[in-house]
Amino acid sequence: MSTTPAPDGWAFPEEWSAEALEMAAEVLAQRADLSGAEVALLENAGWLLTQASIAFDVAKRHAFESTTDRGAITLHPGLAEARQARLAANAALHKLVPHDSGAAAGTIAGASLARRRWSPR
């Protein structure tokens, strides 16, 4: 579970991963005025990050390897699933959080998400 509590008036699903809970709290700290479709985008991003965490954990349990039906060893498909879910979550966050107009600029929440994801644990 996250050590970041939900802001007043917001309740996050208990099933969300710690990463999703932290992301949602950060977004709401920047955009407390979310309503309607924006709330749905935030919820979608939270579920996507939870899915990414689960897929990554499954791949990690299998040493990031998978064996095909012909015996070849490949990267675990959970890695691709996690990557796709994180990309989709970042796309949703890009619509919610203020961002720079530069070509390489991402959202503040997306940058924070990437730092947490790749920081040593």
Side-chain angles (χ1 to χ4, degrees):
M1 276 292 179
S2 171
T3 57
T4 307
D8 290 338
W10 292 90
F12 301 143
E14 292 178 18
E15 299 86 1
W16 277 9
S17 66
E19 182 179 22
L21 293 168
E22 290 173 21
M23 173 277 304
E26 285 182 23
V27 168
L28 290 174
Q30 296 174 48
R31 290 281 320 274
D33 62 332
L34 293 183
S35 63
E38 293 176 324
V39 173
L41 279 173
L42 178 63
E43 183 175 359
N44 189 40
W47 286 114
L48 285 165
L49 290 178
T50 299
Q51 176 187 343
S53 293
I54 293 168
F56 185 83
D57 289 345
V58 168
K60 187 176 181 178
R61 278 195 302 271
H62 293 276
F64 303 107
E65 294 180 347
S66 181
T67 306
T68 67
D69 56 350
R70 295 182 183 236
I73 296 177
T74 63
L75 285 175
H76 195 281
L79 289 173
E81 291 293 326
R83 181 178 145 296
Q84 290 297 324
R86 289 182 196 288
L87 287 171
N90 196 42
L93 292 173
H94 188 74
K95 297 175 183 177
L96 296 177
V97 182
H99 54 278
D100 297 331
S101 59
T107 65
I108 297 167
S112 175
L113 174 65
R115 277 193 306 275
R116 271 197 317 275
R117 172 68 187 89
W118 297 109
S119 66
R121 295 179 189 206

